[in-house]
Amino acid sequence: MAECIDSILAQRTSFRILVTVVNDGSTDQTFSVLQRYADCPEICIIQQENKGFSGARNAALKHIRASYIMFVDADDKLPEDAVESLMCSALRTDADIVEGGYSRFVGERTTFTFRHSESFTRDWSILYGFPVGKVYKSWLFEDVVFPLGYWFEDTICIYLLYPRCKAVATIKDVVYLYRQNEQGITFTSRGNIKTLDALWVTRRLLADSKRMGIPATQALYDMLLLDLSVNLTRFVTLDDMVHQDAFMVSAALLQEYFPRYRTENIRLRPLEQAFLHYDYGAYRLYGKCYLGV
């Protein structure tokens, strides 16, 4: 955690940074580490019982004191010019979200780097799905709560945040350094029944989207199809009867929230047809042919 906080405090930027750190019921040395920063005027430390990623983010969102916010997970770091690059673009374009590239690393070795091209657009589908690596106008989080107790809560971005944007921007700079963790959910969830959280989160967020008055659009429909294709790769190692049940719930969600929409994305059409006809065999064939699972 100290490496993460230090990378934020070391930002080379003309913008003022306020850091809200949530100690989410840690049982290691986190509390002792945070005491080093107790007298730092730029840092607000919140202590709470363990509530997971969602609970930590929700706690921090109650203490918003700025026009723009960003998320940084405790294992990760920011390059020294991340805030300056993101905020200069945000003020220049007035975009609701500005997103940059990211790198994954293990120790001192970079294992992968993704870079955007420079863009300013209404097409929010160009943004990647997780909450880090970007700045948001803080108003986007009014009435937004991360779902508690679920894996894959990051899906909140594509259902509740991105569709409310009038415009988004991307920059070519790498603005986030993601520590590759082979003990994380991505690597350890295979075959775990809790991967079904991905579906329950989607269902919850679609209901929240409707409650908040976010309109059904073609972009949101296509994103739901893409989200359900990712879920296929997560569920494929579960018991086949469980996977079939998840497929039926997914098909019902499409019919309930987007009954009149059809995709123009050729790659997603076979998946769409499988859902429309409740054809589990075609759905599994799509997984083999298009997703390799």
Side-chain angles (χ1 to χ4, degrees):
M1 174 172 280
E3 192 175 8
C4 172
I5 295 173
D6 290 344
S7 76
I8 299 172
L9 297 178
Q11 289 294 296
R12 299 193 306 185
T13 181
S14 57
F15 298 93
R16 185 185 177 200
I17 297 175
L18 302 173
V19 185
T20 301
V21 182
V22 180
N23 182 13
D24 188 50
S26 66
T27 57
D28 54 15
Q29 300 303 311
T30 297
F31 180 79
S32 297
V33 171
L34 290 178
Q35 294 312 296
R36 306 177 198 170
Y37 305 94
D39 297 326
C40 182
E42 291 85 10
I43 294 182
C44 169
I45 299 174
I46 300 172
Q47 307 281 355
Q48 68 176 28
E49 295 181 2
N50 181 262
K51 297 181 180 179
F53 278 117
S54 292
R57 287 171 177 155
N58 289 336
L61 289 172
K62 292 178 182 178
H63 293 78
I64 293 176
R65 296 172 290 162
S67 299
Y68 292 85
I69 67 171
M70 69 185 302
F71 297 100
V72 186
D73 292 339
D75 287 341
D76 304 334
K77 300 185 293 184
L78 297 183
E80 61 184 8
D81 295 320
V83 169
E84 187 73 10
S85 298
L86 289 166
M87 285 303 303
C88 283
S89 177
L91 296 186
R92 183 177 68 253
T93 63
D94 196 34
D96 296 306
I97 298 175
V98 180
E99 179 176 273
Y102 65 93
S103 292
R104 296 193 194 112
F105 70 96
V106 177
E108 300 298 320
R109 180 171 59 91
T110 298
T111 60
F112 174 82
T113 295
F114 168 80
R115 290 184 183 271
H116 274 298
S117 58
E118 299 276 340
S119 69
F120 177 73
T121 178
R122 293 179 181 272
D123 179 14
W124 52 264
S125 68
I126 66 171
L127 303 177
Y128 44 72
F130 36 93
V132 299
K134 51 181 75 68
V135 292
Y136 309 79
K137 287 185 177 179
S138 56
W139 71 265
L140 285 169
F141 289 89
E142 294 174 2
D143 301 321
V144 169
V145 177
F146 282 85
L148 284 175
Y150 293 99
W151 286 356
F152 313 114
E153 79 288 342
D154 289 356
T155 319
I156 196 172
C157 294
I158 63 176
Y159 293 110
L160 302 188
L161 301 178
Y162 298 169
R164 302 170 74 190
C165 294
K166 295 179 181 178
V168 300
T170 59
I171 59 175
K172 62 184 179 181
D173 309 66
V174 170
V175 299
Y176 198 82
L177 303 178
Y178 172 80
R179 190 185 305 272
Q180 195 165 309
N181 178 11
E182 295 186 359
Q183 300 304 313
I185 291 173
T186 300
F187 291 93
T188 62
S189 61
R190 184 176 178 84
N192 191 323
I193 193 66
K194 196 165 171 57
T195 56
L196 286 175
D197 280 5
L199 180 56
W200 309 138
V201 164
T202 296
R203 187 172 67 170
R204 154 76 183 276
L205 293 176
L206 285 170
D208 286 349
S209 175
K210 186 175 182 179
R211 174 183 57 80
M212 293 171 63
I214 296 173
T217 62
Q218 187 66 49
L220 191 54
Y221 174 71
D222 285 351
M223 190 58 69
L224 173 57
L225 278 174
L226 184 60
D227 186 26
L228 294 178
S229 75
V230 174
N231 284 352
L232 194 167
T233 67
R234 293 167 173 156
F235 301 160
V236 73
T237 58
L238 299 176
D239 178 84
D240 194 60
M241 290 300 296
V242 174
H243 196 176
Q244 286 189 52
D245 289 343
F247 165 76
M248 296 297 288
V249 173
S250 301
L253 287 176
L254 281 180
Q255 298 285 17
E256 179 181 357
Y257 288 96
F258 298 92
R260 296 184 297 275
Y261 283 85
R262 298 294 180 268
T263 188
E264 295 297 321
N265 186 319
I266 295 175
R267 185 178 176 86
L268 290 175
R269 280 181 187 170
L271 179 64
E272 177 186 64
Q273 289 301 306
F275 284 130
L276 290 175
H277 297 286
Y278 289 86
D279 188 339
Y280 180 67
Y283 165 83
R284 289 300 301 267
L285 183 62
Y286 177 85
K288 292 179 181 178
C289 294
Y290 287 86
L291 305 176
V293 295

